[in-house]
Amino acid sequence: MVQAYIHDDNNDIDFREAHNSGKSVSIEDLEKIGVFYKYCATVEDVDVIAKERNYKNRDVVNISKESFGNENNMMEKLNMFYSEHLHEDEEIRYCLDGSGYFDLRAQNDTDWIRCRVNKGDLLVVPAGIYHRFTLTTENYIKALRLFKDEPKWNAIKRPDGDSYQVREEYLSQTKA
Ligand code: KMT
Ligand code: NI
């Protein structure tokens, strides 16, 4: 089960630490920012959602010291994932093994909602939402990334994303 809470915004310590402010966030609150969560015991359960939503492509990412050769390479990649960005397409992430944190911008555009995913957790991340990702202190995740059509891995950084149409669409869909 995903654990969601407000990030404590303490940037003096490693971003792989929990950073739990103690304020928890419900699944309903996630839905308000267009994020959909589901626990899927098996990949067959994921296939059902992928089919319903017309997803055609997927890949598996393995993020660990071993998969990147050494710690420096891994940190370089992690720093990239951890810089605030958005994508032009909706994307599904399913945790096959290990763990990770997805930080999603709250409706007030100030707080980060941190979602810890463990094996079996699936998140649908809407197009146009600002977010970032990191490993936990476990330093390992294996995840399925599903995309509707051609993989568009282009990450659009803040503030560049502000002028994208997908950002405007996202904001108008999630207005309070
Ligand atoms: C993203 O969009 O930031 C990512 O896909 C992070 C890696 S998926 C475990
Ligand atoms: Ni991303």
Side-chain angles (χ1 to χ4, degrees):
M1 190 68 186
V2 72
Q3 194 198 358
Y5 52 84
I6 304 293
H7 187 285
D8 65 10
D9 237 2
N10 175 357
N11 298 312
D12 297 335
I13 56 170
D14 194 307
F15 51 64
R16 289 168 291 182
E17 297 290 340
H19 290 275
N20 191 341
S21 68
K23 287 177 228 153
S24 66
V25 170
S26 66
I27 301 288
E28 291 73 39
D29 290 335
L30 287 180
E31 282 169 11
K32 285 184 200 144
I33 58 164
V35 173
F36 173 72
Y37 166 77
K38 194 162 171 30
Y39 176 79
C40 290
T42 65
V43 174
E44 284 76 60
D45 295 347
V46 178
D47 293 341
V48 173
I49 294 174
K51 205 167 172 194
E52 275 169 10
R53 292 181 171 253
N54 251 313
Y55 276 68
K56 295 186 186 70
N57 288 294
R58 61 180 71 187
D59 71 3
V60 176
V61 278
N62 192 321
I63 310 174
S64 64
K65 280 176 206 158
E66 291 71 33
S67 66
F68 285 102
N70 61 50
E71 174 131 21
N72 275 353
N73 288 349
M74 182 187 78
M75 287 315 294
E76 201 179 302
K77 193 78 183 172
L78 278 192
N79 284 326
M80 218 180 74
F81 282 137
Y82 204 63
S83 71
E84 183 170 4
H85 64 273
L86 58 76
H87 303 284
E88 287 186 273
D89 285 328
E90 176 190 283
E91 286 157 1
I92 294 179
R93 308 285 191 285
Y94 174 66
C95 181
L96 290 160
D97 199 14
S99 53
Y101 293 120
F102 285 94
D103 289 344
L104 307 150
R105 274 291 182 201
Q107 216 155 13
N108 64 13
D109 203 24
T110 305
D111 293 335
W112 284 109
I113 296 176
R114 173 158 280 200
C115 295
R116 183 190 166 110
V117 295
N118 296 309
K119 186 176 159 74
D121 288 329
L122 177 147
L123 284 178
V124 181
V125 179
I129 191 173
Y130 278 117
H131 65 279
R132 61 187 186 188
F133 172 81
T134 177
L135 292 176
T136 69
T137 51
E138 185 186 1
N139 283 312
Y140 165 60
I141 194 169
K142 190 165 118 187
L144 259 182
R145 302 189 295 189
L146 295 94
F147 8 83
K148 292 210 160 163
D149 295 300
E150 290 314 304
K152 262 197 220 161
W153 280 120
N154 200 15
I156 302 152
K157 284 199 183 171
R158 194 158 197 167
D160 298 354
D162 292 352
S163 59
Y164 279 64
Q165 196 183 337
V166 70
R167 180 65 185 160
E168 271 172 45
E169 283 164 6
Y170 170 76
L171 288 174
S172 67
Q173 283 156 13
T174 52
K175 246 191 278 190

